[in-house]
Amino acid sequence: MRITEETVQNVARLARLAVGREEAARLAPQLSDIIGYAEQLQQVDLEGVEPTSHPLSRYNALRPDEVRPCLDREAALANAPDSDGEQVRVPAVLEG
Amino acid sequence: MSVHTVKEIVASLRRGEAKPSEWAARILECIRRADGRVGAFLHVDEEGALARAKSLDGQPVEGTLFGVPYALKDNICTAGLRTTAASRILENYVPPYSATVADKLASAGAVLVGKTNMDEFAMGSSTENSAFQPTRNPYDLERVPGGSSGGSAAAVAAGMVPFALGSDTGGSIRQPAAFCGVVGLKPTYGRVSRYGLIAFASSLDQIGPFTRTVEDAALVLEAISGFDPHDSTSVDEPVERFADGLDTGVRGLRVGVVTDIQEEGLHPGVKQAVEQAIAVLQGAGAEVVEVSLPHSRYAVATYYLIAPAEASSNLARYDGVRYGRRADADTLLEMYERTRSEGFGMEVKRRIIIGTYALSSGYYDAYYRRAQQMRTLIRQDFDRAFERCDVIALPTAPTPAFKLGEQLDDPLQMYLNDMYTIPANLAGIPGISVPCGLVEGLPVGVQILGRAFDEQTVLRAAHAYEQLRGFEMPVPALEGSA
């Protein structure tokens, strides 16, 4: 599968990355190489093999539902690029 | 420069020959002298380290790491101390909490002296993907220290700290340990809490130590292991006293050698050094048995779908809202895109795009799901192999350290550095790299893998080899730091 510059830009947009034309031109052949290499997996018969999503066979990990101390607001907002002291602030999401 | 092990430092404190503050001062002086050339540290916390060490002066020497200075890879959170993961996007991030491993080391009496350089978000095999600086291999300053935990490996190799922690997702502890001539241990997945480790690929990431000796690795492993209610993937297995029983030898131990190992790209010098290491174990009474790992040849392909897929999801949190860098923009969407495009380096973008591609509708079954199926076969190969043997010995990396810049333009070539380390991450099993000689003047390592939660046997085999290999790793002669 050859990855085109257009594919790079479309996938980047899905990941909320702005990739310019020049960057896309550099990335496309590299990503084609990598995906091409990964295509080895297409040659193996994997019919009926269960997928592994995790090295441990873990089921739901439960803990008691108890109220515990957590970060206070000041600490939670300390790293926010913009806040009004109570909440984080972002550019307008809705017009008007 | 004289270098000291964890064990020696604790012993000197026990005998009352030195105080923790004297060790801290000595270590800080080493860093001042050597790190200008090596570039292992992103941040040295002189004031914090001295204050903490002074607070230990005069206290009874309790805990296996009492008064021992150490460093953390900069993707391990430290409350009040900047933690960047070597990324512009976290350039000014000061965590409000500490990773469980940092808390555990503090309870064991260890003294944090600084945060080490790495490939951005642990993505890389040379530490060249750091947004801030390169790190140089102490054995040859023109060469890379490996990665992604290159700063931790180089700091221990240069004698700047007796131990450091790193993280290993596809070899990021073991490969730099091999390149820098130190011991590097990736524990079993779930052995060590990942709480406070900045996530790269959550089903693969594991924290572990860099040390000068196998015994030191056992001491540090014991201090950082155990179930943590903050990490539901940490496992409630008993934490053994890993340093006990190291001396019981390898008589009767079954050491697996992989008959179908991929040799394309394997440096003949590395091959020979590893064969010699296996012969040393055999000479000590170990039984060498042949094992087969037929699907390991697909490990790199499998990993470079699974790890980017998980990364693309984990790194979605860097959106300029709650922490980290934010770019100015008029709309929210534009703010996200500009923040992420300016904040992430090239390799991180590459992996986010691969991961997003592999997970996108229409490609999910062809790429991501097939990789997960292959992961099952790779795991099952190990299950079968460990019916015939107790540990498996193989090279850590296919070559010695390469030159800075040499592989930067060829990401796929860079990924192939991890061909021998990735299978252990996919299977979740423990592995250690121990120096097994010099090839063209550069350190190389032998890797010993074991069954899940059987670090004890891995450490025992590694220790036996280290005692019997018949040489000491030379301390790198950093010019001007003697």
Side-chain angles (χ1 to χ4, degrees):
Chain A
M1 172 81 66
R2 202 174 72 81
I3 311 277
T4 63
E5 290 168 34
E6 197 191 348
T7 307
V8 171
Q9 286 188 306
N10 286 338
V11 175
R13 208 164 299 129
L14 292 175
R16 298 289 179 257
L17 289 169
V19 170
R21 211 178 290 163
E22 211 173 290
E23 227 176 353
R26 251 184 81 195
L27 281 165
Q30 294 174 342
L31 298 179
S32 296
D33 267 9
I34 296 163
I35 293 291
Y37 182 81
E39 271 166 7
Q40 293 176 48
L41 301 186
Q42 315 298 329
Q43 300 152 13
V44 190
D45 180 12
L46 293 168
E47 191 64 38
V49 178
E50 280 298 307
T52 294
S53 55
H54 207 266
L56 306 164
S57 31
R58 299 283 283 170
Y59 300 96
N60 285 339
L62 301 176
R63 60 164 173 77
D65 186 17
E66 288 162 0
V67 178
R68 289 177 305 178
C70 62
L71 283 187
D72 60 40
R73 181 180 288 178
E74 203 184 328
L77 288 174
N79 278 286
D82 191 11
S83 87
D84 64 2
E86 293 188 355
Q87 303 172 72
V88 292
R89 215 168 10 209
V90 294
V93 179
L94 299 169
E95 293 293 325
Chain B
M1 185 188 313
S2 54
V3 297
H4 300 274
T5 63
V6 169
K7 198 183 168 193
E8 286 163 4
I9 292 176
V10 175
S12 83
L13 292 165
R14 282 233 161 87
R15 290 192 299 261
E17 291 165 4
K19 291 190 289 195
S21 63
E22 290 165 357
W23 273 112
R26 205 192 289 192
I27 287 293
L28 290 168
E29 174 60 23
C30 278
I31 296 171
R32 268 195 298 270
R33 271 198 311 225
D35 204 38
R37 287 180 185 77
V38 177
F41 282 87
L42 288 176
H43 180 62
V44 180
D45 183 20
E46 293 215 4
E47 221 172 284
L50 284 172
R52 157 97 175 128
K54 274 210 179 83
S55 78
L56 298 175
D57 285 355
Q59 281 189 34
V61 181
E62 274 167 11
T64 46
L65 303 174
F66 184 91
V68 181
Y70 79 99
L72 285 176
K73 185 177 182 179
D74 205 30
N75 60 351
I76 299 175
C77 287
T78 42
L81 199 62
R82 208 152 56 99
T83 301
T84 67
S87 181
R88 291 255 173 250
I89 213 158
L90 286 176
E91 197 163 9
N92 296 311
Y93 178 61
V94 179
Y97 66 95
S98 284
T100 296
V101 290
D103 284 340
K104 278 179 171 281
L105 289 174
S107 332
V111 176
L112 177 68
V113 297
K115 307 293 292 285
T116 56
N117 197 23
M118 55 186 281
D119 286 300
E120 183 178 1
F121 285 108
M123 297 176 186
S125 307
S126 68
T127 311
E128 291 167 292
N129 294 332
S130 166
F132 303 119
Q133 64 192 38
T135 296
R136 292 166 184 281
N137 191 313
Y139 282 88
D140 180 347
L141 297 174
E142 298 301 308
R143 289 176 190 268
V144 302
S148 66
S149 315
S152 287
V156 174
M160 290 190 262
V161 280
F163 83 92
L165 295 191
S167 63
D168 189 316
T169 306
S172 282
I173 291 174
R174 290 160 289 158
Q175 183 255 23
F179 278 16
C180 289
V182 296
V183 173
L185 171 67
K186 182 199 93 73
T188 309
Y189 184 88
R191 175 65 92 179
V192 177
S193 167
R194 293 180 294 113
Y195 181 69
L197 171 69
I198 294 176
F200 161 14
S202 303
S203 80
L204 302 162
D205 296 341
Q206 190 63 191
I207 297 173
F210 289 91
T211 54
R212 300 199 73 83
T213 66
V214 174
E215 187 176 9
D216 280 1
L219 290 170
V220 178
L221 178 65
E222 189 184 318
I224 61 175
S225 292
F227 175 70
D228 175 11
H230 287 120
D231 175 4
S232 62
T233 64
S234 66
V235 174
D236 203 1
E237 286 278 324
V239 176
E240 294 135 88
R241 298 190 59 104
F242 294 109
D244 292 353
L246 283 182
D247 276 325
T248 46
V250 291
R251 187 155 300 282
L253 189 82
R254 296 170 303 167
V255 176
V257 295
V258 187
T259 50
D260 45 5
I261 196 167
Q262 227 185 333
E263 292 204 346
E264 196 190 324
L266 175 60
H267 188 292
V270 175
K271 184 179 176 192
Q272 200 192 354
V274 170
E275 282 169 356
Q276 257 168 24
I278 293 166
V280 167
L281 288 171
Q282 197 169 20
E287 183 193 341
V288 171
V289 297
E290 293 188 340
V291 297
S292 168
L293 298 173
H295 298 94
S296 277
R297 66 173 60 249
Y298 300 109
V300 175
T302 303
Y303 176 88
Y304 278 97
L305 292 169
I306 290 176
E310 292 188 18
S312 70
S313 167
N314 272 327
L315 271 60
R317 71 191 62 174
Y318 303 103
D319 56 6
V321 174
R322 289 152 302 155
Y323 41 73
R325 166 196 281 254
R326 174 191 295 189
D328 285 334
D330 293 332
T331 69
L332 190 63
L333 189 61
E334 205 187 318
M335 188 277 276
Y336 290 152
E337 289 194 346
R338 289 194 47 196
T339 296
R340 291 164 62 78
S341 302
E342 291 172 22
F344 292 139
M346 205 55 179
E347 180 61 22
V348 174
K349 288 182 196 173
R350 250 191 309 261
R351 296 209 196 183
I352 290 175
I353 294 171
I354 295 170
T356 306
Y357 182 80
L359 288 174
S360 59
S361 73
Y363 296 108
Y364 182 95
D365 283 339
Y367 294 109
Y368 184 63
R369 192 184 149 83
R370 287 190 83 80
Q372 288 188 307
Q373 288 175 303
M374 183 54 81
R375 188 172 182 181
T376 302
L377 297 182
I378 289 169
R379 249 182 43 188
Q380 288 172 349
D381 284 352
F382 279 110
D383 290 343
R384 267 190 291 272
F386 284 125
E387 284 169 11
R388 297 168 48 81
C389 66
D390 303 304
V391 294
I392 294 172
L394 71 169
T396 304
T399 64
F402 46 90
K403 290 202 164 133
L404 282 125
E406 199 176 307
Q407 296 187 4
L408 263 186
D409 294 329
D410 190 350
L412 185 57
Q413 185 58 43
M414 187 73 96
Y415 297 172
L416 291 171
N417 276 295
D418 303 332
M419 59 197 263
Y420 298 132
T421 46
I422 281 174
N425 298 83
L426 292 170
I429 59 174
I432 196 167
S433 180
V434 183
C436 68
L438 296 170
V439 170
E440 292 157 12
L442 299 165
V444 294
V446 58
Q447 184 182 199
I448 299 174
L449 304 176
R451 297 183 186 96
F453 297 102
D454 193 15
E455 283 88 350
Q456 190 75 73
T457 305
V458 170
L459 288 162
R460 179 156 63 93
H463 179 75
Y465 168 66
E466 181 186 53
Q467 299 306 302
L468 297 168
R469 68 187 170 189
F471 62 89
E472 286 293 317
M473 280 304 286
V475 178
L478 282 169
E479 197 194 331
S481 63

